Amino acid sequence: MTTHLEVALGNRSYRIHIGAGLLGEPQLIRPHLAGNQVLVVSNETVAPLYLESLRGSLADLEVFEHILPDGEAYKTLESLNGIFDTLLRAPCDRQATIVALGGGVVGDMAGFAAACYQRGIAYIQVPTTLLAQVDSSVGGKTAVNHPLGKNMIGAFHQPRCVIADTDVLATLPDRELAAGLAEVIKYGLIRDLEFLAWLESSLDALLARDSAALAHAIEVSCRNKAAVVAADEREAGQRALLNLGHSFGHAIETGMGYGRWLHGEAVAAGMCMAADLSRRMGRIAQSDVDRVTALLTRAGLPVAAPAELNPERLRELMSVDKKVRAGRLHLVLLNHLGDACISDQVPEPLILETLTACRSPA
Ligand code: NAD
Ligand code: GLY
C-alpha cells in the first residue's frame, strides 16, 4: 500500500509518497521534472544498489550522474563544488532537475546544489535511509557542514516531491536503522504522546524491520514533520522544536569530527541531555527522563555524550548553533513527554550540570 501525504506550502506544496517498490514507478517522478535534463546525485554506496532501478523511471531523458564519496566527512563546500562542476560540464540549464538518491548527506548536498545552481533549480528527494525518509528529505532544509559548525552553510529550498521506497531499507546497516529511529522517537517526544506509546510497544518489531511497523513509523513521522513545516517553513517559531537534542548533538558531531558519531546517535544522546535539563528546570519528572533513556537504550542508541568531550568543550561548541540569538542559547526543552517548548532562559549552571552528568565514563 502506498501512502501519499502533502506538505502544504501554497504554490510550493508537494507530496510525500511512502510505500514498497516506488523506485520503479515512473509516474511518481516524471510529472515533477522541470525539463528533459536530470542530474542524479548519489553516493558510492547507494548508487550500485539503487541507481539502476531509478534509471528505469528516467528512460528517454538526458540523465547525468554525480557520485559522491560516502560519509558525513564529505558534506563540504568542496564536494558541493564537484556537483556544480558536473552541472556545468554537462551543461545543465535552468530546466534541469536534480534527483537526490541517498541518505540525508546526499539529500542535504543535492538540495543545496539545486538551491544555488543558476539561482535555483528543481529537485526531487529519493531518500534511502530511515533518517532521510522520516526527516531530512522533508521540509527543504539543505546545507553543508563547516569545520566550525554543523549545517552552518545552507538554504531553504523545497523539493518538488519526496519518494520514500521502503524496500530500500532492507540493505540499511543496523546502526543506521537505529540512528533513524532517534529522529522517529523525537516526534513522539516533542508532539505526539500516542505515537511515543506506540513506539514503546512496537520497538522490537521496528528493530526486526517488520515492514508494516516501519511503514507506520515513517508515515506518522512524515505527518508530524509536514504539519510543522507547513505551519512554520522558515523556523520562525515551532519548527525549532524539531531540533530537540540537536544543540547538544551538533556539538558532539562537530567535536568528535564529522562521521565518527552518526547524526542520529548524537541526537539520541542530545535528547537525553535535553530531558535531563528539562528535569533540572522543574518541567518533567525523573521518571520521564528514565522513560526517554530506556527507549533510546532499547533502540541501541547512546544516551550520554562521549567521554572525550569535556563539559567546557561541549559548551563552547554549543555556542555555534543556528538557535543562538545575540549570544544566548535557545534550547528545546520538554514541558511533558509529547510537548516541547523553546527557552532562552536556561541558567548556565544548569547547562553545565547536564553536560557534566550526561557524559559517558572514561
Ligand atoms: P547518510 O546520508 O550518511 O547515510 C547513512 C549511511 O547509509 C551512508 O553510509 C549511506 O551511504 C548508507 N546508505 C544510505 N541508504 C542506504 C541503503 N538503502 N542501503 C545501504 N546503505 C545505505 O546519513 P543519514 O542518517 O541518512 O543522514 C544524516 C544527515 O542528514 C546529516 O548530515 C544530518 O545533518 C542531515 N539531516 C538533515 C535534516 C534536514 O532537515 N535537512 C534533518 C535531519 C538530518
Ligand atoms: N530536522 C529539523 C528540521 O527540519 O527543521
Side-chain angles (χ1 to χ4, degrees):
M1 200 190 77
T2 305
T3 302
H4 310 279
L5 305 175
E6 190 181 54
V7 184
L9 289 168
N11 61 7
R12 287 173 299 108
S13 296
Y14 57 95
R15 294 187 113 191
I16 308 166
H17 309 281
I18 304 161
L22 303 191
L23 274 184
E25 294 196 14
Q27 77 281 7
L28 294 180
I29 202 164
R30 293 185 80 108
H32 303 291
L33 300 174
N36 279 329
Q37 292 186 312
V38 176
L39 174 71
V40 180
V41 178
S42 189
N43 76 16
E44 62 199 3
T45 304
V46 178
L49 294 168
Y50 300 113
L51 187 52
E52 202 50 48
S53 314
L54 182 65
R55 265 201 216 103
S57 292
L58 301 172
D60 308 325
L61 297 161
E62 197 181 355
V63 180
F64 305 94
E65 290 162 13
H66 185 88
I67 308 302
L68 293 158
D70 188 357
E72 185 77 35
Y74 297 99
K75 192 175 154 182
T76 59
L77 275 173
E78 192 187 353
S79 302
L80 186 75
N81 207 35
I83 303 178
F84 296 140
D85 290 345
T86 302
L87 284 161
L88 287 163
R89 281 196 193 112
C92 285
D93 62 32
R94 279 185 134 170
Q95 269 62 52
T97 305
I98 293 182
V99 177
L101 174 71
V105 169
V106 166
D108 278 15
M109 272 200 286
F112 190 29
C116 301
Y117 186 66
Q118 300 204 18
R119 302 201 180 92
I121 62 171
Y123 79 111
I124 290 170
Q125 289 276 16
V126 184
T128 63
T129 61
L130 180 62
L131 185 140
Q133 295 191 349
V134 300
D135 192 354
S136 61
S137 65
V138 176
K141 278 189 182 176
T142 72
V144 293
N145 299 326
H146 186 280
L148 295 179
K150 170 93 181 138
N151 289 338
M152 276 291 160
I153 318 293
F156 285 97
H157 186 49
Q158 299 294 341
R160 291 278 181 100
C161 77
V162 179
I163 301 171
D165 183 341
T166 52
D167 281 349
V168 305
L169 300 179
T171 53
L172 198 63
D174 286 343
R175 188 177 167 201
E176 300 291 349
L177 186 84
L181 286 173
E183 300 279 16
V184 173
I185 291 167
K186 176 187 77 179
Y187 295 111
L189 292 175
I190 61 170
R191 69 193 306 276
D192 196 339
L193 189 56
E194 189 185 328
F195 186 44
L196 185 68
W198 180 85
L199 287 167
E200 288 172 321
S201 61
S202 307
L203 191 72
D204 293 342
L206 290 166
L207 290 170
R209 301 177 190 236
D210 175 272
S211 53
L214 278 173
H216 181 73
I218 296 165
E219 179 184 336
V220 178
S221 298
C222 285
R223 264 188 212 291
N224 273 297
K225 179 131 191 197
V228 172
V229 169
D232 179 22
E233 181 185 9
R234 296 263 169 162
E235 202 168 302
Q238 66 162 283
R239 185 165 179 172
L241 303 181
L242 293 173
N243 295 319
L244 176 70
H246 286 56
S247 299
F248 298 105
H250 284 169
I252 294 172
E253 287 185 87
T254 307
M256 292 300 283
Y258 298 123
R260 273 186 69 197
W261 274 48
L262 302 182
H263 176 70
E265 293 172 340
V267 166
M271 290 194 298
C272 290
M273 296 163 94
D276 178 88
L277 186 55
S278 305
R279 185 202 46 87
R280 289 175 200 276
M281 293 284 290
R283 290 168 191 249
I284 62 172
Q286 183 59 45
S287 56
D288 294 322
V289 181
D290 295 343
R291 201 173 151 190
V292 175
T293 308
L295 183 58
L296 292 164
T297 302
R298 277 178 64 207
L301 288 160
V303 293
E308 288 100 310
L309 295 175
N310 67 43
E312 292 70 30
R313 174 71 181 134
L314 266 180
R315 178 62 190 85
E316 182 187 32
L317 288 161
M318 286 171 74
S319 302
V320 185
D321 185 287
K322 292 187 287 312
K323 290 185 300 307
V324 170
R325 303 267 182 283
R328 281 196 84 82
L329 277 185
H330 286 53
L331 291 168
V332 185
L333 298 175
L334 294 170
N335 286 323
H336 309 283
L337 296 190
D339 178 24
C341 65
I342 192 139
S343 173
D344 65 351
Q345 299 297 323
V346 183
E348 277 296 327
L350 290 192
I351 299 176
L352 277 173
E353 279 180 27
T354 288
L355 295 175
T356 305
C358 300
R359 183 177 173 206
S360 299

